[in-house]
Amino acid sequence: MSDATHLTGDLTVAGACEHEARLKYYSASQWTLIWWRFRRHRAAMVAAALLGVMALAGIFAEFVAPYGPVTRDTQYIEGAPQIPKFCDAAGCSFVPFINGTKTERDPVTLRAISVPDPEVRHYVQFYVKGEMVKLLGFIPIDRHLIGLRPESGQKIHFWGTDDLGRDVFSRTIYATRTSLSIGVLGVLISFVLALIIGGAAGYLGGMTDNVIQRATEVIRVVPIIPLYMGLAAAMPKEWSTTQVYFAMTLILGLFGWPTLARRIRSQLLSIRNEDYVIAARLAGARPGRIIAQHMLPGFTSFIIVDLVISFPYMILSETALSFVGLGLRPPSVSWGVLLQQAQSVRAIEQTPWLFIPAVFVVVAVLAFTVIGDGLRDAADPYAEAS
Amino acid sequence: MLRFTLERFAGMVVTMLLVSVMVFLIMEIPPGDYADRYAFRKYSGTGVNVTEADIEAIRRDLGLDQPMLLRYFDWIGGIVLRGDFGQAFAFETSVAKVIGDKVWLTAGILFATLLLTYLVSIPVGIYAAVRRGSAVDYGLTVFSYLGLALPNFLLALVMLYFANRWFGADIGGLFSDQYRDAPWSLAKAWDMAKHLWLSAVVLAWSAVAYQIQTVRATMSDELNKLSVTAARARGVPELKLLVKYPARLAINPVVSTIGFDVNRIFSELPIVAVVLGLTELGELLLKAYLDLDMNVAGAILLLLTFAIVFMNFLSDLLLGWLDPRIKLGV
Amino acid sequence: MSKMLSVENLSISFRTDEGVITPVKGVSFTVEKGRTLGLVGESGSGKSISTKALMQLLPGTARLGAASRMIYTAKDGQQISLGNLRHGSKELRRIRGGEIGMIFQEPMASFSPVYTIGNQMMEAIMLHRGLKKREARQFAIGMLNKVGISNAAARVDQYPHELSGGMRQRAMIALTLSAGPALLIADEPTTALDVTIQAQVLDLMRDLQRELGMGMIFITHDLGVIAQIADDVAVMYLGTIVERGPAKEVIRNPQHPYTQGLLDAIPSLDHLHDRLKPVPGDIPSPTARPGGCPFHTRCTQAIAGTCEVHEPPETSAIPGCAVRCWLHTSQGRSAA
């Protein structure tokens, strides 16, 4: 719209456009306005894009990851990241490649170690044939986003391998799916609980409110990770990875609600005696309907902000629990499970690439925080309108 | 003031009671009970055939066949009246013995961390608010984002790595080898102090990031208050003005969140302890959870939470003393 | 009578995200010893900002115009250029409080809530009168007595929230006067108070001013208050003084359409059945200051082709009075 204003030098046309733009602005819905304001928050847009890429990679992990999360490459154990290059001693090529490796005996320890073999080049390809996997769990494909030609007989490990020769890049992609989805489910569960608990406290008030406030206070006062640990420790050892996964989301969700419940309660309390709420009550609407139809819409945007900024706590908690062995267990892969392999200073010195999942944790948490800030600014109706 | 104190004290006792119920429930969650685990641990691999009747006998011995409510009162009664937290089966001794002076080590870490947190965050937060929009201010904003985003165990690893490089290998843990089992002495305390700072820095990290933002926000608000302009219009020198008027009030939200900080520190403690090799309650708690030694775990969880509730109580009192408006509200 | 403060050509601009705004433009006024100047205008007219500039209380984004002059004659007869005082200098601190005192609209917010009244008074007294702590406390109690606070010896140890609104403003007056200023700036000191309390506080201020022989600048949006307290008046609109002169003269015979509008807007007990006549229109935002005469957008007598184009000069038809309006110039009259 504003572009048109600049292009046409004609004042009257510009005036009309201006008028139309204003009209559009004044008639825009609350959500359109929030979106407009959010779009101008550059950091938040970048964060949203990053998260989007992460989520997509996680959802289509089978396709994006060149190998399975537990596929071992015995030829390349604790190997360093292999970065595709365009040139080597033998000259340059338009297609990026990596040099091959060959196994030799260490002259001192006589252990088999892999050393680079500059004679051989393996070219990196997109949409390459590889392991047969089920995309989204049910679409069988044997193509992967990136990798080496199967004829090469070698695998490429962009981010190196761990002590069992598993590809860190592939594992991180699969872990992204687990960790983000646990965050989503955990937040959803705590949201539902917060709605019920905060809704009851705020709508009913009085004695119910008092009791709920007391209970909330007790939960808030217990240090959260030790509390989570206690519940996680109780998971039977014989549970399957799926059972553990859902138990974890339940545990995280079960105690994530107090902050949000508090927000919902205080907002509801502040408007429960407004005329339009009383009118709805007098008209005989049921409490659930009054809350959902008349009371919640007024502060949905705040709830969304709170939801977004509660993601980091979920992700960090899951990571911490898995890190100390009380959360997800191998063979599941999550960021925390992967970082379990990187618990010592020795790991920093010898296999620093095992810390790459930590970068994902930091980026995801930062992204959610920045998006939360951006949304908060965007949702603020008092933010200056222009 | 007396009435205020008594009311807060009563509130603290009620909260502690409810917390104890919750901790007790958590102790009850794992499948099986103390008798099962005790028997399994003691006799597995010894060739002794343990029958259901044997376990039942242990159960009766320890009063575990009683209804839950009775067992709760037995448990909490023992703690309150005799300081008896029950038996720690993994250690074959009483929980109280296992916990022992780890309580004091934990308290030491806690206070070192709190001290560091406030010594850094309050002046820095005030400075950032006064120099709003400066490079320092922006740098601090980035820092505080990182403070939330960096998992504490990762920070611990990185710190440990650099500490090892710069200060020699013997920096993890709480003591050097020669003092680990030595009786308390001045030399041992000094040795602990030399090790303590690393844990304190790691544990204070996110609390500092958070509190700087709190202080900065409150200070920015307070700086724009009319009372500050009015005092300036009376010719109060600028530095004295800053300290006496806005800074004095910017401390209140910090005081009111002491309990929250303690909570955060205790929450991170078990995780950080793994990396730094600390030998205090957090590490013991994790071990107890992994062994399902719920008597020990429950005792520690209870102690940590009681400490938080107590700190909340203290912070309420302190706030009541700092802010004359609060007493009136009671 | 001697001039104690003379302000000439005061312009103040602020850097903002939307560019530079100039809420005060070419303001000149004088205050004489023992007399009260009333500054009248709607909110946003720049009256508070102008007085804050005297004590360098404006935020860092504010800039004074190059031609601005603010000359203050101190108690010892020294002439001080207020705009040139260095930030944080001893001289500036002496001016603040010791020479010029300021009272604000919100008595509650003017006190810090965490110190007693006495604490804040003693701070000012020790600073400006060089008294020791004990003497300062006695002095503070004496001041509280003087402003009509009963049981001052007990009140001195109370916190601001323990006093009523009117009491608080009295305490604020005591606090400001305890530093011994020669010029008192009162920024809408009665606006936040109940009407009956308002009258008491106004009386108190007038009495104290006479007793102490202070000069006073009284800021208000209420011409009725001006009639009670001011000797001279300056009417401000959008950062310029549109009319000034002796209070009685201006109120009896307003020249500028804006002053006339303000006077018409005062409800009168004689004509209870009439509708109130507010000044039409809204005060424009400081970012969109109209060109020409700033008031032309709301003026019922605006002369098309003149008022919105050129800024009117200041003219003086009645001795001692001045007005900025095209209606009072020969050109304007001929154009109309």
Side-chain angles (χ1 to χ4, degrees):
Chain A
M1 184 55 62
S2 64
D3 283 350
T5 315
H6 286 302
L7 287 175
T8 57
D10 191 333
L11 265 175
T12 50
V13 175
C17 283
E18 177 91 346
H19 178 72
E20 209 171 299
R22 271 169 173 271
L23 208 66
K24 202 170 148 196
Y25 176 80
Y26 286 122
S27 58
S29 77
Q30 181 200 4
W31 298 106
T32 322
L33 285 176
I34 290 178
W35 166 239
W36 283 349
R37 281 198 291 260
F38 182 75
R39 225 169 27 183
R40 286 190 308 169
H41 201 298
R42 204 165 301 155
M45 285 301 282
V46 171
L50 268 176
L51 264 189
V53 170
M54 264 196 200
L56 282 179
I59 292 170
F60 300 107
E62 282 85 0
F63 175 66
V64 176
Y67 312 108
V70 290
T71 309
R72 297 181 59 183
D73 181 356
T74 46
Q75 305 286 306
Y76 199 70
I77 285 174
E78 288 202 345
Q82 296 169 318
I83 295 146
K85 50 190 175 182
F86 291 93
C87 290
D88 65 1
C92 290
S93 119
F94 281 114
V95 184
F97 61 88
I98 56 166
N99 287 125
T101 54
K102 56 187 177 189
T103 311
E104 278 179 5
R105 291 225 172 259
D106 186 298
V108 184
T109 62
L110 295 182
R111 259 179 33 177
I113 52 165
S114 44
V115 293
D117 178 4
E119 308 283 301
V120 187
R121 281 181 175 186
H122 296 298
Y123 291 97
V124 177
Q125 276 200 331
F126 285 103
Y127 202 63
V128 75
K129 216 178 172 108
E131 283 174 57
M132 193 67 179
V133 285
K134 290 206 169 107
L135 189 61
L136 298 174
F138 64 91
I139 308 167
I141 52 161
D142 63 349
R143 293 279 178 172
H144 294 265
L145 179 65
I146 197 166
L148 299 184
R149 234 170 290 173
E151 307 88 83
S152 70
Q154 251 199 342
K155 294 190 166 107
I156 181 166
H157 304 290
F158 293 106
W159 294 344
T161 56
D162 64 7
D163 55 350
L164 294 176
R166 294 174 297 195
D167 182 43
V168 173
F169 176 70
S170 303
R171 282 168 72 74
T172 308
I173 299 294
Y174 279 98
T176 302
R177 170 195 288 174
T178 319
S179 289
L180 283 185
S181 65
I182 280 194
V184 171
L185 288 177
V187 167
L188 276 183
I189 292 173
S190 58
F191 173 55
V192 171
L193 285 174
L195 265 186
I196 296 171
I197 296 168
Y203 184 79
L204 299 173
M207 203 50 209
T208 321
D209 183 34
N210 272 335
V211 171
I212 290 177
Q213 284 299 97
R214 270 277 159 203
T216 312
E217 198 190 331
V218 170
I219 288 176
R220 283 172 70 93
V221 88
V222 182
I224 193 76
I225 296 282
L227 180 62
Y228 282 153
M229 283 163 69
L231 298 175
M235 290 189 291
K237 299 270 184 292
E238 60 274 11
W239 274 10
S240 73
T241 51
T242 323
Q243 278 174 310
V244 171
Y245 174 85
F246 283 110
M248 277 299 291
T249 61
L250 208 63
I251 291 173
L252 292 176
L254 220 49
F255 290 98
W257 52 266
T259 315
L260 188 58
R262 201 173 250 216
R263 153 93 70 189
I264 292 173
R265 167 189 172 268
S266 63
Q267 295 276 0
L268 287 182
L269 273 183
S270 71
I271 57 169
R272 67 190 272 249
N273 287 326
E274 295 279 332
D275 290 343
Y276 65 94
V277 177
I278 293 174
R281 200 176 302 151
L282 291 178
R286 276 173 296 113
R289 191 186 151 78
I290 296 179
I291 295 178
Q293 293 282 318
H294 298 281
M295 300 174 84
L296 279 184
F299 55 100
T300 318
S301 53
F302 293 105
I303 293 180
I304 291 178
V305 171
D306 277 0
L307 282 180
V308 170
I309 57 178
S310 64
F311 265 96
Y313 296 101
M314 294 284 166
I315 291 174
L316 286 173
S317 300
E318 185 276 319
T319 310
L321 287 180
S322 302
F323 178 76
V324 294
L326 278 172
L328 298 181
R329 307 161 185 161
S332 300
V333 280
S334 76
W335 290 333
V337 172
L338 293 188
L339 287 171
Q340 228 180 331
Q341 296 174 308
Q343 275 194 356
S344 64
V345 171
R346 195 193 70 89
I348 297 189
E349 280 161 351
Q350 295 176 358
T351 50
W353 53 88
L354 293 183
F355 283 94
I356 289 175
V359 176
F360 275 65
V361 178
V362 173
V363 169
V365 169
L366 271 182
F368 276 117
T369 315
V370 171
I371 292 174
D373 283 359
L375 274 179
R376 192 200 330 252
D377 292 350
D380 181 4
Y382 297 106
E384 157 248 346
S386 65
Chain B
M1 193 68 195
L2 184 68
R3 201 182 137 199
F4 178 79
T5 312
L6 286 178
E7 275 191 17
R8 294 296 144 126
F9 187 80
M12 174 177 82
V13 172
V14 172
T15 309
M16 281 183 173
L17 211 70
L18 293 174
V19 164
S20 73
V21 173
M22 183 160 160
V23 170
F24 184 74
L25 290 178
I26 288 174
M27 289 166 69
E28 293 283 315
I29 293 176
D33 64 4
Y34 181 88
D36 290 323
R37 291 192 284 271
Y38 179 81
F40 179 77
R41 189 170 183 102
K42 186 146 189 193
Y43 299 112
S44 72
T46 58
V48 181
N49 204 1
V50 189
T51 61
E52 216 21 67
D54 294 337
I55 296 178
E56 203 53 49
I58 301 173
R59 202 165 278 151
R60 228 182 352 265
D61 242 23
L62 295 167
L64 294 178
D65 51 346
Q66 307 276 341
M68 200 160 151
L69 199 65
L70 269 180
R71 274 184 290 127
Y72 166 72
F73 282 116
D74 200 35
W75 176 70
I76 194 71
I79 294 172
V80 174
L81 300 175
R82 301 186 299 276
D84 174 15
F85 291 87
Q87 290 291 307
F89 76 85
F91 299 89
E92 306 244 340
T93 177
S94 72
V95 174
K97 271 233 177 65
V98 177
I99 292 177
D101 61 355
K102 284 181 196 243
V103 170
W104 303 114
L105 291 183
T106 312
I109 295 176
L110 175 68
F111 284 109
T113 309
L114 286 179
L115 202 67
L116 182 70
T117 304
Y118 300 134
L119 282 183
V120 173
S121 59
I122 293 173
V124 171
I126 289 175
Y127 181 83
V130 175
R131 293 263 175 280
R132 237 187 136 144
S134 67
V136 176
D137 189 22
Y138 283 120
L140 284 172
T141 309
V142 172
F143 164 75
S144 53
Y145 270 119
L146 275 181
L148 176 70
L150 207 59
N152 47 61
F153 58 85
L154 205 67
L155 176 75
L157 268 175
V158 174
M159 296 282 295
L160 199 58
Y161 174 69
F162 284 109
N164 273 347
R165 284 191 104 177
W166 294 333
F167 303 102
D170 188 34
I171 197 76
L174 278 177
F175 302 103
S176 310
D177 288 335
Q178 69 261 38
Y179 290 110
R180 188 152 298 135
D181 298 310
W184 278 100
S185 64
L186 224 64
K188 182 172 178 174
W190 173 239
D191 184 61
M192 182 177 169
K194 278 195 289 188
H195 286 79
L196 202 57
W197 68 268
L198 185 67
S199 329
V201 168
V202 171
L203 288 168
W205 178 271
S206 58
V208 166
Y210 182 83
Q211 289 292 15
I212 284 181
Q213 286 308 308
T214 314
V215 174
R216 180 182 172 275
T218 329
M219 185 73 187
S220 303
D221 274 3
E222 289 296 332
L223 275 174
N224 292 325
K225 288 260 167 87
L226 186 57
S227 57
V228 177
T229 312
R232 189 173 283 137
R234 293 197 295 272
V236 181
E238 204 63 18
L239 190 67
K240 188 184 176 194
L241 180 88
L242 277 186
V243 173
K244 182 171 174 181
Y245 291 92
R248 166 68 176 67
L249 278 153
I251 290 176
N252 286 3
V254 175
V255 170
S256 68
T257 52
I258 291 179
F260 191 63
D261 285 333
V262 177
N263 190 317
R264 183 199 308 267
I265 291 166
F266 281 163
S267 202
E268 295 184 355
L269 202 49
I271 314 285
V272 171
V274 172
V275 179
L276 293 184
L278 304 180
T279 48
E280 38 57 68
L281 291 182
E283 177 251 14
L284 186 60
L285 176 66
L286 178 60
K287 207 144 93 197
Y289 276 143
L290 289 171
D291 288 343
L292 283 184
D293 195 345
M294 295 316 279
N295 277 355
V296 175
I300 296 175
L301 193 57
L302 193 73
L303 284 176
L304 295 184
T305 314
F306 274 14
I308 295 167
V309 177
F310 181 69
M311 290 304 268
N312 274 337
F313 168 68
L314 278 190
S315 104
D316 275 355
L317 289 195
L318 200 55
L319 204 62
W321 177 68
L322 276 175
D323 195 334
R325 288 167 296 183
I326 287 176
K327 273 171 263 172
L328 207 77
V330 171
Chain C
M1 283 192 299
S2 62
K3 265 187 214 169
M4 64 188 314
L5 174 71
S6 126
V7 173
E8 277 166 44
N9 255 323
L10 178 66
S11 296
I12 303 165
S13 43
F14 288 87
R15 279 181 288 115
T16 68
D17 294 338
E18 284 98 45
V20 176
I21 58 168
T22 307
V24 174
K25 208 174 167 188
V27 161
S28 305
F29 59 84
T30 56
V31 179
E32 272 153 26
K33 218 172 175 168
R35 280 176 75 91
T36 299
L37 168 71
L39 272 183
V40 195
E42 288 163 290
S43 47
S45 59
K47 46 199 192 334
S48 290
I49 298 177
S50 307
T51 50
K52 283 202 174 121
L54 296 177
M55 293 163 87
Q56 297 196 7
L57 288 175
L58 295 174
T61 50
R63 289 284 169 276
L64 292 192
S68 305
R69 294 278 173 278
M70 299 179 286
I71 307 296
Y72 173 77
T73 311
K75 287 186 260 188
D76 58 6
Q78 199 191 343
Q79 297 235 326
I80 301 168
S81 171
L82 292 177
N84 296 340
L85 291 176
R86 237 173 357 93
H87 210 74
S89 68
K90 218 173 160 179
E91 244 189 330
L92 178 60
R93 266 183 283 145
R94 190 171 60 104
I95 294 285
R96 286 177 176 175
E99 291 283 350
I100 308 178
M102 203 159 193
I103 298 171
F104 300 90
Q105 182 175 346
E106 302 279 346
M108 184 64 202
S110 320
F111 279 109
S112 168
V114 293
Y115 300 105
T116 58
I117 307 271
N119 177 310
Q120 298 178 60
M121 288 184 78
M122 281 152 68
E123 178 188 57
I125 294 166
M126 290 192 286
L127 227 93
H128 292 288
R129 294 192 186 263
L131 293 184
K132 293 271 177 304
K133 208 166 177 180
R134 184 164 313 194
E135 303 159 333
R137 188 183 154 83
Q138 283 313 312
F139 193 94
I141 295 174
M143 255 350 257
L144 287 176
N145 260 322
K146 200 173 194 140
V147 298
I149 290 182
S150 55
N151 201 5
R155 296 278 184 193
V156 78
D157 290 324
Q158 286 191 325
Y159 288 96
H161 63 258
E162 294 174 283
L163 302 184
S164 68
M167 210 58 108
R168 249 179 247 142
Q169 194 58 297
R170 281 173 193 268
M172 194 67 217
I173 293 170
L175 167 55
T176 308
L177 295 186
S178 62
L183 173 65
L184 183 65
I185 299 173
D187 190 349
E188 308 223 17
T190 56
T191 310
L193 304 178
D194 288 345
V195 182
T196 46
I197 313 266
Q198 248 183 45
Q200 290 174 15
V201 171
L202 277 182
D203 283 347
L204 173 72
M205 292 187 71
R206 200 177 43 207
D207 293 348
L208 285 170
Q209 184 225 354
R210 283 194 189 135
E211 185 186 333
L212 302 170
M214 293 181 300
M216 178 147 91
I217 300 178
F218 197 100
I219 300 173
T220 179
H221 59 267
D222 187 349
L223 269 175
V225 171
I226 290 293
Q228 288 179 59
I229 199 161
D231 302 304
D232 305 296
V233 65
V235 182
M236 285 189 79
Y237 185 80
L238 275 189
T240 46
I241 292 180
V242 292
E243 179 165 7
R244 62 195 166 111
K248 283 201 185 93
E249 192 59 43
V250 171
I251 287 170
R252 189 162 355 108
N253 187 13
Q255 303 290 307
H256 198 279
Y258 180 58
T259 318
Q260 292 161 3
L262 282 181
L263 278 166
D264 284 343
I266 299 174
S268 156
L269 285 178
D270 304 334
H271 309 282
L272 277 178
H273 303 293
D274 296 357
R275 289 186 65 106
L276 287 178
K277 280 181 276 176
V279 181
D282 286 325
I283 194 157
S285 101
T287 48
R289 200 173 189 275
C293 170
F295 188 60
H296 81 259
T297 52
R298 298 169 72 186
C299 186
T300 48
Q301 309 166 51
I303 308 161
T306 305
C307 288
E308 72 271 27
V309 185
H310 304 289
E311 221 165 313
E314 193 172 72
T315 53
S316 177
I318 306 160
C321 293
V323 63
R324 271 179 196 273
C325 181
W326 285 117
L327 292 171
H328 299 279
T329 61
S330 43
Q331 291 150 275
R333 272 191 294 273
S334 60

